[in-house]
């Protein structure tokens, strides 16, 4: 492989996409399950998978932000990180005169 940086950008972007999709799935399942979401096995799985992202966001955000809003902030930050990684990939491809899709 002649461009490992391109691979790293692609892998990072894919990981961010997966984290965003799990946060979105957790939110949608939380809406559908309602009050019974704490007993839902899939919701618990989503909580386990999205836990590291939410905990990292809790450490970054000030204490003024309530815990209920942290997943929304995490999703927004992941979305902008996803956009930034796409921009970096495009910039890398333009700089090295590659035809990236």
């Amino acid at each position: 492989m002649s461009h490992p940086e391109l691979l790293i950008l692609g892998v990072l972007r894919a990981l961010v996409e997966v984290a965003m999709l799990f946060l979105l799935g957790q939110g949608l399942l939380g809406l559908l399950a309602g009050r019974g979401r704490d007993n839902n096995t899939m919701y618990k799985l989503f909580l386990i998978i999205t836990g590291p992202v939410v905990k990292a966001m809790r450490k970054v955000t000030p204490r003024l932000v309530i815990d209920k809003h942290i997943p929304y902030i995490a999703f927004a930050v992941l979305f902008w990180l996803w956009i930034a990684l796409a921009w970096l990939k495009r910039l890398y491809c333009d700089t090295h005169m590659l035809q990236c899709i």
Side-chain angles (χ1 to χ4, degrees), residues 3-97:
H3 298 282
E5 297 88 1
L6 193 59
L7 176 67
I8 292 170
L9 285 172
V11 168
L12 286 175
R13 192 158 186 248
L15 287 173
V16 169
E17 283 178 13
V18 168
M20 281 177 29
L21 288 173
F22 273 111
L23 278 170
L24 186 63
Q26 179 184 350
L28 289 175
L29 187 58
L31 283 174
L32 290 174
R35 293 181 191 249
R37 66 179 169 238
D38 295 329
N39 299 327
N40 192 319
T41 307
M42 287 306 296
Y43 189 78
K44 288 179 184 178
L45 179 67
F46 283 146
L47 281 176
I48 292 169
I49 293 171
T50 60
V53 175
V54 173
K55 287 178 187 174
M57 213 44 58
R58 175 75 265 176
K59 289 184 180 184
V60 172
T61 56
R63 287 282 154 202
L64 182 68
V65 179
I66 60 176
D67 289 339
K68 185 179 177 182
H69 295 156
I70 297 297
Y72 301 114
I73 294 169
F75 185 83
V77 168
L78 285 173
F79 174 75
W80 286 109
L81 182 60
W82 183 71
I83 296 293
L85 287 170
W87 180 77
L88 283 173
K89 183 178 176 183
R90 181 68 181 169
L91 186 67
Y92 183 84
C93 290
D94 287 345
T95 302
H96 295 283
M97 292 181 226

